[in-house]
Amino acid sequence: MQQTKRMLTPREALDIILGQVQRLPTERVGLLDAAGRVLAEPIVAPEDHPPFPAATMDGFAVIHDDTSPWREIIGEQFAGHVVDVTVTPGTAVRITTGAPLPPGADAVVPVEDVEVVDDHVVVRREEVRPGENVRPVGIDIRRGELVIPAGTVLGPAEIGLLASLGISSVAVSRRPRVSVLSTGDELVEPDAPLGPGQIRDSNRFMLVAAARQAGAEVVWSGRGPDDVEQLTALLRERIAESDVVVSSGGVSVGERDLISAALRTLGTVHIERLFMKPGKPFHFVTAGSTLVFGLPGNPVSALVGFEIFVATALRAMTGQQPVEPELVTVVLEHDIEPGDRIEYQRAVVRCDADGVLRARNTGPQASARLLSAVGANAYVIVPPRAEPYRAGERLVAILRGPVRGMAERA
């Protein structure tokens, strides 16, 4: 079986992983079940929107250049109802927001600009412009226009737009089926009392949450024993039922790092070590069409490995665009001491008053300190070099959340 012994850069590893990804089949779902799904085909508007000229304010539908001092109110036009009247000089129709403009009218005068006396209305404006307070046919969307490209994650706005266009179901990519496995006899459930040498299993819960956040269906999660035969049997079972298997722990070179030994018997090993920190021990294996990721046991290492590699693979499997996370250039707010590998420092990136993105890390960056990832909206990529990076220098960062100040500027 193929094995890659050399430490690979994150970019090299990502290219290998994406080269093994196979697109998942599509399925059709109703709009109420489409939230968070990835659109598998482009949506082209089947009709103009709005399909009729509509009032944008409550008021009176009139002819803009009608000079009649008094205009007879010949009907009332409400949204969802159409009256059989035609506006002519000397007449007007009472109209509500969203209602179709009656034939003959070409403008709407708002209620605050008129005076109603019995069954007549007086326009208190010297000038009414043609098309005033009217949404023309197709002003929002033209028939045949591309409105949502394939690869879009469907959110509330997209689903509302689909409904407005008369589309009740859409083709989406099937959710990736993911199994999550923690290893180590020292692990116990979060609510269990700790015995000597035991720790709580945080990785499994963290990785299940990360997989669901990435749009996957978690079909199984559990712990694996420190027994290579039992572990191999468990992995073989999960591989058979999953598109992706994610394990944490057991991928280093210790005597009890059993995931490495098990995976070598189950598929083709493409990656075993990475030139990155945290997360140097990292396994990527293909077993048939199933992708298997062996992440390190340290919580931060596991989380970084998942977000950089596993989440990217999940996006590629569903055709989500963009596939890779967003990269931005940031200005350091403090000095950073580089290491001997490419380091992904957890950081908070903010947008200052001049539109410059500035980054400050979250304190100690030990791979066991999960607190460093809490509240972090970015990974600042710190390449190795002999001297420190100084405050004011620029580095590249991967955004993993919204940036404070960017929305206000937009």
Side-chain angles (χ1 to χ4, degrees):
M1 301 201 179
Q2 176 187 350
Q3 297 183 25
T4 301
K5 294 294 188 182
R6 179 175 65 87
M7 277 198 294
L8 301 174
T9 67
R11 179 70 263 173
E12 290 173 325
L14 200 52
D15 288 341
I16 290 172
I17 292 167
L18 292 177
Q20 296 297 320
V21 167
Q22 297 181 26
R23 283 288 302 273
L24 293 173
T26 63
E27 58 188 9
R28 185 162 289 273
V29 300
L31 291 190
L32 294 179
D33 297 315
R37 304 298 294 272
V38 179
L39 188 64
E41 59 187 18
I43 298 296
V44 174
E47 60 190 24
D48 292 325
H49 193 75
F52 51 79
T56 62
M57 301 186 72
D58 292 348
F60 288 85
V62 300
I63 299 171
H64 82 279
D65 57 357
D66 185 359
T67 58
S68 305
W70 294 76
R71 308 185 200 195
E72 181 185 0
I73 302 172
I74 60 173
E76 295 181 325
Q77 183 80 290
F78 300 106
H81 300 277
V82 177
V83 292
D84 186 18
V85 296
T86 299
V87 177
T88 58
T91 66
V93 169
R94 191 187 301 272
I95 194 167
T96 59
T97 302
L101 198 69
D106 62 2
V108 172
V109 180
V111 291
E112 56 266 30
D113 290 342
V114 303
E115 179 181 352
V116 178
V117 180
D118 297 327
D119 59 352
H120 285 74
V121 63
V122 178
V123 177
R124 297 187 170 194
R125 295 263 299 274
E126 292 184 3
E127 179 186 8
V128 178
R129 299 185 306 277
E132 186 172 347
N133 300 316
V134 175
R135 289 169 60 216
V137 172
I139 187 65
D140 295 335
I141 298 170
R142 286 290 183 186
R143 180 180 180 181
E145 178 183 349
L146 174 66
V147 290
I148 310 178
T152 299
V153 178
L154 296 174
E158 289 81 8
I159 290 172
L161 177 60
L162 290 168
S164 74
L165 291 171
I167 298 170
S168 61
S169 65
V170 288
V172 296
S173 297
R174 177 172 62 74
R175 292 186 187 276
R177 296 186 296 257
V178 175
S179 291
V180 177
L181 170 71
S182 291
T183 63
D185 287 345
E186 75 278 13
L187 299 178
V188 298
E189 293 297 299
D191 58 352
L194 291 177
Q198 293 183 323
I199 59 173
R200 296 185 179 92
D201 181 7
S202 60
N203 283 4
R204 176 160 51 99
F205 295 87
M206 174 183 71
L207 295 174
V208 165
R212 288 175 175 160
Q213 188 178 61
E217 175 190 2
V218 178
V219 295
W220 181 89
S221 69
R223 294 203 307 272
D226 279 345
D227 178 276
V228 69
E229 291 185 1
Q230 295 181 46
L231 192 58
T232 301
L234 177 59
L235 283 168
R236 183 178 289 110
E237 172 191 299
R238 299 323 314 158
I239 287 169
E241 299 183 12
S242 310
D243 301 305
V244 174
V245 175
V246 181
S247 69
S248 65
V251 292
S252 192
V253 293
E255 191 173 310
R256 302 290 287 177
D257 288 311
L258 304 180
I259 286 285
S260 298
L263 290 181
R264 290 191 188 99
T265 69
L266 294 172
T268 301
V269 180
H270 300 275
I271 303 170
E272 288 189 307
R273 295 186 303 162
L274 297 177
F275 187 68
M276 67 178 287
K277 181 182 178 181
K280 175 182 175 181
F282 174 94
H283 282 40
F284 172 62
V285 174
T286 52
S289 61
T290 301
L291 309 183
V292 185
F293 295 89
L295 303 178
N298 276 322
V300 177
S301 301
L303 181 61
V304 172
F306 186 98
E307 293 189 348
I308 302 299
F309 303 109
V310 185
T312 302
L314 293 173
R315 287 191 290 269
M317 294 173 79
T318 59
Q320 181 178 333
Q321 297 297 323
V323 171
E324 297 192 29
E326 182 179 2
L327 298 176
V328 296
T329 299
V330 297
V331 176
L332 297 179
E333 292 193 314
H334 56 85
D335 295 353
I336 288 181
E337 192 73 37
D340 58 352
R341 285 169 278 150
I342 301 170
E343 186 171 3
Y344 287 72
Q345 292 211 359
R346 285 70 70 200
V348 175
V349 171
R350 63 179 181 86
C351 183
D352 69 14
D354 297 320
V356 176
L357 296 180
R358 299 188 178 277
R360 173 172 293 274
N361 73 18
T362 55
Q365 297 288 301
S367 58
R369 185 175 180 262
L370 195 54
L371 185 61
S372 68
V374 175
N377 63 353
Y379 294 126
V380 174
I381 303 174
V382 184
R385 76 178 192 186
E387 66 275 4
Y389 290 91
R390 300 299 183 185
E393 287 196 67
R394 297 177 183 271
L395 287 175
V396 172
I398 297 173
L399 290 184
R400 60 190 299 265
V403 175
R404 181 179 174 185
M406 287 186 72
E408 293 86 340
R409 293 185 60 82

